[in-house]
Amino acid sequence: MNLSAIDLNLLVALQALLEERSVTRAAERVGLSQPAMSNALKRLRVELGDPLLVRAGRAMVLTPRGEMLIEPLREALHQVESIFSPPGEFVAAESEQTFVLGANDYAQFTIMPALLERLSLMAPGINLRVRDPGREMLRPNLESGVIDLALHLGRPAQVAETLYRRDLFQLELECMVRLGNPLVGDTLSVEQYAQMSHILVSQSGGDQGVVDWTLAELGLERRIAVVVPHFFIAPHIVARTDLILTTARSVAQVFEDVLPVRLLSPPLELERGTVSLVWHPRTHRDPAHQWLRSQIVHVSEWLRR
C-alpha cells in the first residue's frame, strides 16, 4: 500500500464514526458538516473494502471489520498525537536515563567527581557511561549518537561549526621536572625551556600542542621526545627521567604530593587549552540533555571559584 496516496485525515473521521456509531454525532465531534462526514464514510468504505457501519433498524451498528479496527486505530492515533506533542517535563529526581559522555582523562579527573557528587543528590537514578573518543572521532560519534555530549580539550576553533559548543574554562599550566634534574635550577629561561626534551600529552598522537603554537610565534621549537595519550602517565615518566612536562596545574599539583617531582612556572605566556562542552543539534532541545548540560556548567563554574 502506498501510504502517501491515503488521506490520513480520514483516520480521525474513522475513529469518530466507529466510536459514535452515528454520522451526525461523528460530524459534530470532529467539527465537520454532516454531508462532509457522509462523504468521508463513503471514501473509507472504498479504501477499506468494508461497509464499517450498517443500519439495523433506526440505529447504526459496526461490521466485524469495524469492531476489529477500534483498538488499533485508537492506539495509532495516540502514537501520532505523541509525535506532535511537546516533550514532557524532565524530572531529574525520577529519571533512570543513561547518558554517554565523551571525555579524556583530564576532563574526567577535573569534572567527573564533582558532577557525580551532584547527580547522586539531585538525580540518583541517572547513569553515566564515559568514553574517550579522541578528537578526530568527536563529530562522527556525536552525529551517530555513540556519545550524547562531550568535554573537548584544545582550541575552541577545533570544534566543528555544525556542533554546539560552550566554553567552560581554560587550563592553568605548570612545568614539571623530577627532583634533582641537573638541567633545571630554580627558574627557567625561554631558551632553556625550548632546548630541553619534552613530554607531550596528545590523544591523537600528534606532535603539536599549545606550547608549540606559542613557541612558533617566537621563532622557536622544542624537541618532543615522548608523546603519550593520557595525562596521568606523563608525571610518572618525568619522575624517572630528565624530561620536562607542561601540564594542567590541577594535574601537576596532585602528583607533586606523591612523586619525586617539582613544579616551575612556564618561562613565557603560553596559549592555554580550553575545556568546552560540545553537543549535537539533535539533542539541543531535549529537556533531559538540557538539564545534564546545565549541571556540567554549574560544576565547572563552581570549580573555577
Side-chain angles (χ1 to χ4, degrees), residues 10-29:
L10 289 174
L11 296 181
V12 177
L14 177 59
Q15 183 184 40
L17 287 164
L18 297 180
E19 293 181 354
E20 298 294 340
R21 306 186 186 200
S22 163
V23 172
T24 301
R25 291 195 300 272
E28 292 174 351
R29 172 170 161 175

mmCIF file of all heavy atoms in Angstrom, residues 10-29:
data_model
loop_
_atom_site.group_PDB
_atom_site.id
_atom_site.type_symbol
_atom_site.label_atom_id
_atom_site.label_comp_id
_atom_site.label_asym_id
_atom_site.label_seq_id
_atom_site.Cartn_x
_atom_site.Cartn_y
_atom_site.Cartn_z
ATOM 1 N N LEU A 10 -8.625 11.042 7.169
ATOM 2 C CA LEU A 10 -9.737 10.105 7.260
ATOM 3 C C LEU A 10 -9.684 9.266 8.533
ATOM 4 O O LEU A 10 -10.712 8.767 8.990
ATOM 5 C CB LEU A 10 -9.742 9.188 6.041
ATOM 6 C CG LEU A 10 -10.143 9.826 4.704
ATOM 7 C CD1 LEU A 10 -9.964 8.829 3.569
ATOM 8 C CD2 LEU A 10 -11.589 10.321 4.759
ATOM 9 N N LEU A 11 -8.495 9.105 9.101
ATOM 10 C CA LEU A 11 -8.381 8.302 10.318
ATOM 11 C C LEU A 11 -9.112 8.943 11.484
ATOM 12 O O LEU A 11 -9.695 8.254 12.326
ATOM 13 C CB LEU A 11 -6.907 8.080 10.662
ATOM 14 C CG LEU A 11 -6.089 7.267 9.659
ATOM 15 C CD1 LEU A 11 -4.652 7.123 10.149
ATOM 16 C CD2 LEU A 11 -6.718 5.907 9.421
ATOM 17 N N VAL A 12 -9.072 10.272 11.544
ATOM 18 C CA VAL A 12 -9.790 10.976 12.609
ATOM 19 C C VAL A 12 -11.290 10.784 12.429
ATOM 20 O O VAL A 12 -12.030 10.528 13.393
ATOM 21 C CB VAL A 12 -9.426 12.470 12.616
ATOM 22 C CG1 VAL A 12 -10.220 13.220 13.681
ATOM 23 C CG2 VAL A 12 -7.923 12.652 12.843
ATOM 24 N N ALA A 13 -11.740 10.906 11.189
ATOM 25 C CA ALA A 13 -13.162 10.694 10.908
ATOM 26 C C ALA A 13 -13.561 9.259 11.205
ATOM 27 O O ALA A 13 -14.640 8.988 11.761
ATOM 28 C CB ALA A 13 -13.463 11.037 9.450
ATOM 29 N N LEU A 14 -12.686 8.303 10.855
ATOM 30 C CA LEU A 14 -12.992 6.895 11.099
ATOM 31 C C LEU A 14 -13.141 6.614 12.580
ATOM 32 O O LEU A 14 -14.068 5.902 13.000
ATOM 33 C CB LEU A 14 -11.882 6.033 10.505
ATOM 34 C CG LEU A 14 -12.005 4.520 10.740
ATOM 35 C CD1 LEU A 14 -13.302 3.982 10.154
ATOM 36 C CD2 LEU A 14 -10.804 3.790 10.151
ATOM 37 N N GLN A 15 -12.241 7.170 13.400
ATOM 38 C CA GLN A 15 -12.356 6.946 14.847
ATOM 39 C C GLN A 15 -13.685 7.476 15.376
ATOM 40 O O GLN A 15 -14.357 6.813 16.173
ATOM 41 C CB GLN A 15 -11.187 7.600 15.582
ATOM 42 C CG GLN A 15 -11.219 7.332 17.091
ATOM 43 C CD GLN A 15 -10.125 8.062 17.842
ATOM 44 O OE1 GLN A 15 -9.821 9.212 17.534
ATOM 45 N NE2 GLN A 15 -9.527 7.395 18.826
ATOM 46 N N ALA A 16 -14.068 8.682 14.939
ATOM 47 C CA ALA A 16 -15.337 9.261 15.397
ATOM 48 C C ALA A 16 -16.514 8.398 14.959
ATOM 49 O O ALA A 16 -17.456 8.153 15.729
ATOM 50 C CB ALA A 16 -15.479 10.680 14.865
ATOM 51 N N LEU A 17 -16.498 7.920 13.731
ATOM 52 C CA LEU A 17 -17.599 7.082 13.235
ATOM 53 C C LEU A 17 -17.690 5.770 14.001
ATOM 54 O O LEU A 17 -18.790 5.325 14.373
ATOM 55 C CB LEU A 17 -17.396 6.799 11.743
ATOM 56 C CG LEU A 17 -17.666 7.972 10.796
ATOM 57 C CD1 LEU A 17 -17.068 7.698 9.425
ATOM 58 C CD2 LEU A 17 -19.172 8.248 10.689
ATOM 59 N N LEU A 18 -16.555 5.130 14.250
ATOM 60 C CA LEU A 18 -16.569 3.843 14.940
ATOM 61 C C LEU A 18 -17.011 3.977 16.388
ATOM 62 O O LEU A 18 -17.690 3.091 16.930
ATOM 63 C CB LEU A 18 -15.192 3.190 14.870
ATOM 64 C CG LEU A 18 -14.654 2.822 13.473
ATOM 65 C CD1 LEU A 18 -13.276 2.185 13.591
ATOM 66 C CD2 LEU A 18 -15.615 1.901 12.739
ATOM 67 N N GLU A 19 -16.611 5.071 17.037
ATOM 68 C CA GLU A 19 -16.941 5.235 18.456
ATOM 69 C C GLU A 19 -18.327 5.833 18.663
ATOM 70 O O GLU A 19 -19.024 5.483 19.623
ATOM 71 C CB GLU A 19 -15.874 6.095 19.133
ATOM 72 C CG GLU A 19 -14.515 5.401 19.199
ATOM 73 C CD GLU A 19 -13.446 6.218 19.893
ATOM 74 O OE1 GLU A 19 -13.716 7.391 20.236
ATOM 75 O OE2 GLU A 19 -12.333 5.697 20.093
ATOM 76 N N GLU A 20 -18.759 6.725 17.781
ATOM 77 C CA GLU A 20 -20.083 7.349 17.934
ATOM 78 C C GLU A 20 -21.186 6.518 17.288
ATOM 79 O O GLU A 20 -22.349 6.615 17.689
ATOM 80 C CB GLU A 20 -20.069 8.752 17.312
ATOM 81 C CG GLU A 20 -19.094 9.728 17.952
ATOM 82 C CD GLU A 20 -19.466 10.062 19.382
ATOM 83 O OE1 GLU A 20 -20.648 9.866 19.783
ATOM 84 O OE2 GLU A 20 -18.568 10.521 20.126
ATOM 85 N N ARG A 21 -20.837 5.735 16.258
ATOM 86 C CA ARG A 21 -21.796 4.904 15.530
ATOM 87 C C ARG A 21 -22.960 5.736 15.006
ATOM 88 O O ARG A 21 -24.109 5.289 14.975
ATOM 89 C CB ARG A 21 -22.284 3.746 16.394
ATOM 90 C CG ARG A 21 -21.129 2.936 16.949
ATOM 91 C CD ARG A 21 -21.522 1.710 17.697
ATOM 92 N NE ARG A 21 -20.344 1.099 18.303
ATOM 93 C CZ ARG A 21 -20.266 -0.160 18.703
ATOM 94 N NH1 ARG A 21 -21.305 -0.971 18.560
ATOM 95 N NH2 ARG A 21 -19.156 -0.625 19.233
ATOM 96 N N SER A 22 -22.602 6.941 14.590
ATOM 97 C CA SER A 22 -23.604 7.867 14.051
ATOM 98 C C SER A 22 -22.878 8.892 13.201
ATOM 99 O O SER A 22 -21.899 9.502 13.667
ATOM 100 C CB SER A 22 -24.347 8.569 15.188
ATOM 101 O OG SER A 22 -25.019 9.721 14.719
ATOM 102 N N VAL A 23 -23.342 9.096 11.970
ATOM 103 C CA VAL A 23 -22.722 10.091 11.102
ATOM 104 C C VAL A 23 -22.911 11.482 11.683
ATOM 105 O O VAL A 23 -21.990 12.310 11.682
ATOM 106 C CB VAL A 23 -23.320 10.002 9.676
ATOM 107 C CG1 VAL A 23 -22.827 11.160 8.811
ATOM 108 C CG2 VAL A 23 -22.965 8.673 9.033
ATOM 109 N N THR A 24 -24.109 11.746 12.234
ATOM 110 C CA THR A 24 -24.402 13.075 12.788
ATOM 111 C C THR A 24 -23.507 13.386 13.980
ATOM 112 O O THR A 24 -22.879 14.439 14.061
ATOM 113 C CB THR A 24 -25.871 13.162 13.206
ATOM 114 O OG1 THR A 24 -26.699 12.912 12.073
ATOM 115 C CG2 THR A 24 -26.183 14.545 13.771
ATOM 116 N N ARG A 25 -23.437 12.453 14.946
ATOM 117 C CA ARG A 25 -22.629 12.697 16.142
ATOM 118 C C ARG A 25 -21.135 12.736 15.793
ATOM 119 O O ARG A 25 -20.376 13.507 16.365
ATOM 120 C CB ARG A 25 -22.904 11.631 17.201
ATOM 121 C CG ARG A 25 -24.297 11.719 17.813
ATOM 122 C CD ARG A 25 -24.390 10.899 19.104
ATOM 123 N NE ARG A 25 -24.113 9.486 18.871
ATOM 124 C CZ ARG A 25 -25.031 8.583 18.523
ATOM 125 N NH1 ARG A 25 -26.301 8.958 18.356
ATOM 126 N NH2 ARG A 25 -24.710 7.316 18.351
ATOM 127 N N ALA A 26 -20.709 11.901 14.864
ATOM 128 C CA ALA A 26 -19.309 11.910 14.444
ATOM 129 C C ALA A 26 -18.947 13.246 13.805
ATOM 130 O O ALA A 26 -17.855 13.793 14.037
ATOM 131 C CB ALA A 26 -19.048 10.771 13.471
ATOM 132 N N ALA A 27 -19.847 13.791 13.006
ATOM 133 C CA ALA A 27 -19.601 15.089 12.369
ATOM 134 C C ALA A 27 -19.459 16.182 13.415
ATOM 135 O O ALA A 27 -18.574 17.039 13.331
ATOM 136 C CB ALA A 27 -20.729 15.404 11.394
ATOM 137 N N GLU A 28 -20.347 16.179 14.425
ATOM 138 C CA GLU A 28 -20.279 17.186 15.491
ATOM 139 C C GLU A 28 -18.978 17.052 16.284
ATOM 140 O O GLU A 28 -18.369 18.042 16.683
ATOM 141 C CB GLU A 28 -21.485 17.018 16.417
ATOM 142 C CG GLU A 28 -22.813 17.375 15.762
ATOM 143 C CD GLU A 28 -23.991 17.058 16.670
ATOM 144 O OE1 GLU A 28 -23.784 16.404 17.728
ATOM 145 O OE2 GLU A 28 -25.128 17.446 16.324
ATOM 146 N N ARG A 29 -18.559 15.838 16.500
ATOM 147 C CA ARG A 29 -17.355 15.581 17.312
ATOM 148 C C ARG A 29 -16.095 16.144 16.667
ATOM 149 O O ARG A 29 -15.233 16.713 17.364
ATOM 150 C CB ARG A 29 -17.215 14.077 17.530
ATOM 151 C CG ARG A 29 -15.921 13.639 18.199
ATOM 152 C CD ARG A 29 -16.008 12.186 18.580
ATOM 153 N NE ARG A 29 -14.700 11.591 18.818
ATOM 154 C CZ ARG A 29 -14.500 10.358 19.263
ATOM 155 N NH1 ARG A 29 -15.552 9.567 19.506
ATOM 156 N NH2 ARG A 29 -13.284 9.882 19.445
#
